[in-house]
Structure formats: structure tokens, C-alpha cells
Amino acid sequence: MADEKKHYMTLEGKEKLENELEFLKTERRKEVVERIKVARSFGDLSENSEYDAAKDEQAFVEARIVQLEKMIRDSVIIEDNKDQSDNVSIGKTVKFKELPDGDEESYIIVGSAEADPFEGKISNDSPMAKSLLGKKPGDKVSVQTPGGEISVVILEVK
């Protein structure tokens, strides 16, 4: 257990997980238990697909509760960047351009729990972020992606 994975996140991200956990424990659990009760009333459980579906849903909810509790317990809050250096780090926005003539892109590097590329947030565990971490503006970086290797130049870190 010494290798517990830390989950990096903003305070807002942690609060979002805590709200989801609270919802699952107080409301969703009750809904699933009620579905199981109703499905039991249908009779023979050996051929009761409603019962099976409700039990599967219960297992999913309970697993998600355990997962959220672990993520919250092992969370490391990304401070409002006390690190004033230009180095890419978790919590900073990095603007880069794909070489030789790609478009400029900008992402915030966050923990995996908050990652959402559509909102401009990439996980610190992603190949892109791993390649960029510790670098500074002007650095050329090779990134190994599932689609092959690409090169980017870091334009700005804030």
C-alpha cells in the first residue's frame, strides 16, 4: 500500500467528487434498493431480468462509491500555483504549436479525475502532459501518441 496513487485535483474538482459521492450514498443507493424490491416482487429470481439488472446497477453504484472515497482520500489539491516559474506543471495552462505548421493549442494540466479534453483539461498521466511537464516556453518536445510521434514547441506557460 506504499504505492498508493495520488490523485491531483483542484479544490473545485474535489468538491465535485464529494458531491457525486454524497448523491450516490444518499439518493442513488435508495433508488437501486427500491428497484431490487420491486423486481423481487415479480417472482422467480432465476429468470428475472429486472432483478439481475438492478443487482448489476447496485454493484456499479457500490464500486463507484469505493472508487470516489479512495480518490478523495488520496487527493492532492493543486494550489493556486505558488510556482511562479515558466516550467510546465500540474495546474498550469500550456500553449503549444504542433510542428512544423500545426495549429496552436492550449490546455490546463490537471489530475486524471478532472481531465476533460473538450473543456481544455488534460490529465497529468496523458502522453502529452507527461512529455510537457517540467519544460518551458521555447522548448521543442517530442510526444509519443497513439497515432505516432509528434513534435511541438511550447509557446507559453501560465
Side-chain angles (χ1 to χ4, degrees), residues 14-145:
K14 184 177 181 183
E15 288 171 356
K16 188 175 176 183
L17 293 180
E18 288 170 339
N19 290 338
E20 180 183 354
L21 179 61
E22 183 67 20
F23 170 76
L24 289 175
K25 284 181 165 183
T26 60
E27 294 180 38
R28 197 74 185 114
R29 259 185 183 160
K30 291 177 186 173
E31 292 171 5
V32 172
V33 167
E34 189 57 37
R35 281 190 59 203
I36 291 171
K37 284 181 189 175
V38 170
R40 276 190 181 141
S41 71
F42 294 152
D44 185 9
L45 297 182
S46 65
E47 295 181 19
N48 189 331
S49 62
E50 288 88 358
Y51 178 77
D52 291 340
K55 290 298 280 183
D56 288 346
E57 187 175 356
Q58 181 183 40
F60 173 79
V61 168
E62 294 303 321
R64 181 66 177 156
I65 287 171
V66 169
Q67 179 186 35
L68 289 171
E69 288 174 338
K70 183 179 179 342
M71 289 171 74
I72 291 167
R73 182 181 62 246
D74 297 336
S75 67
V76 175
I77 301 301
I78 301 167
E79 294 297 324
D80 213 7
N81 259 311
K82 306 259 187 278
D83 177 11
Q84 295 300 316
S85 74
D86 282 347
N87 291 349
V88 177
S89 61
I90 298 173
K92 288 190 175 181
T93 300
V94 60
K95 185 178 189 179
F96 59 88
K97 179 179 178 178
E98 189 174 336
L99 297 174
D101 55 359
D103 293 332
E104 291 182 6
E105 297 181 44
S106 183
Y107 292 100
I108 301 169
I109 299 179
V110 297
S112 58
E114 288 183 87
D116 186 349
F118 297 111
E119 288 187 17
K121 298 177 179 180
I122 59 172
S123 167
N124 64 310
D125 291 329
S126 70
M128 178 63 75
K130 283 182 177 180
S131 298
L132 296 173
L133 287 170
K135 304 296 191 278
K136 58 185 182 253
D139 286 353
K140 291 180 182 163
V141 182
S142 291
V143 181
Q144 198 62 33
T145 68

